[in-house]
Amino acid sequence: MKIIRHITLAALLLAAVAIVPTLAQNRVVPKAYMFGFAASFTDSIVFFTDIQEVDSVWLTPKKFLAGKSNYSYQLRNFCTDSLGLKNRTVVVVSALTRKDIEKKYAKMKKDYIEKRAGQYDVHFIDASEFRFTSVNMDNRKK
């Protein structure tokens, strides 16, 4: 009788393990808004990108930006290649609505321009210089 219980429990666990990955897949949304911030621990120069609308953005099941590190690398590579600034720490902030991203952008700018006035040399990267490109995070096998 015990062995039947163990086999049944093992079968249920195996079924759960097989089902969970199909439920927890990334999904694509038509657009999202994001901006980037780049700074370094070795100097006081910080960079903000413009708020950008990015098409076909992937979200995790908990509605976080999937592949956030890929977007960070895009900005980090721009800083290294185009601006000649290595070792930048990059943060990408995203939201699904323009209103939400504008609030986050205003708060972060206020922190670096008003609250810490004179501590940082703040630069802005125009969208004509740098644009985020969509990253395909489809984790299904083809």
Side-chain angles (χ1 to χ4, degrees):
M1 199 62 163
K2 271 188 174 181
I3 196 153
I4 293 174
R5 254 190 263 170
H6 288 296
I7 292 172
T8 305
L9 181 62
L12 287 174
L13 286 174
L14 185 60
V17 169
I19 291 173
V20 169
T22 61
L23 297 176
Q25 289 187 356
N26 295 336
R27 67 180 180 92
V28 68
V29 293
K31 66 180 174 182
Y33 300 91
M34 62 182 72
F35 71 89
F37 171 80
S40 175
F41 294 112
T42 60
D43 62 34
S44 61
I45 302 170
V46 297
F47 293 90
F48 284 90
T49 68
D50 288 340
I51 294 174
Q52 299 176 15
E53 182 180 304
V54 181
D55 294 331
S56 302
V57 174
W58 290 81
L59 300 179
T60 66
K62 295 191 178 194
K63 296 186 180 177
F64 292 114
L65 181 65
K68 199 173 216 180
S69 61
N70 292 321
Y71 293 103
S72 294
Y73 284 126
Q74 289 177 21
L75 182 54
R76 180 180 295 171
N77 291 340
F78 171 80
C79 289
T80 301
D81 299 341
S82 298
L83 303 176
L85 300 168
K86 294 182 180 183
N87 303 322
R88 294 280 136 183
T89 300
V90 175
V91 176
V92 174
V93 181
S94 64
L96 292 176
T97 65
R98 183 86 185 182
K99 182 180 175 183
D100 289 344
I101 197 72
E102 285 174 349
K103 278 201 274 187
K104 293 175 183 182
Y105 191 70
K107 183 177 188 274
M108 201 159 177
K109 271 180 39 179
K110 184 178 181 182
D111 283 348
Y112 281 89
I113 293 174
E114 293 175 19
K115 289 185 180 177
R116 301 173 186 175
Q119 289 181 340
Y120 294 98
D121 185 11
V122 180
H123 295 270
F124 295 94
I125 300 171
D126 192 70
S128 63
E129 295 177 73
F130 170 78
R131 289 213 54 86
F132 289 108
T133 57
S134 181
V135 175
N136 186 353
M137 295 301 296
D138 189 2
N139 57 6
R140 292 176 286 194
K141 294 184 171 121
K142 299 194 180 208

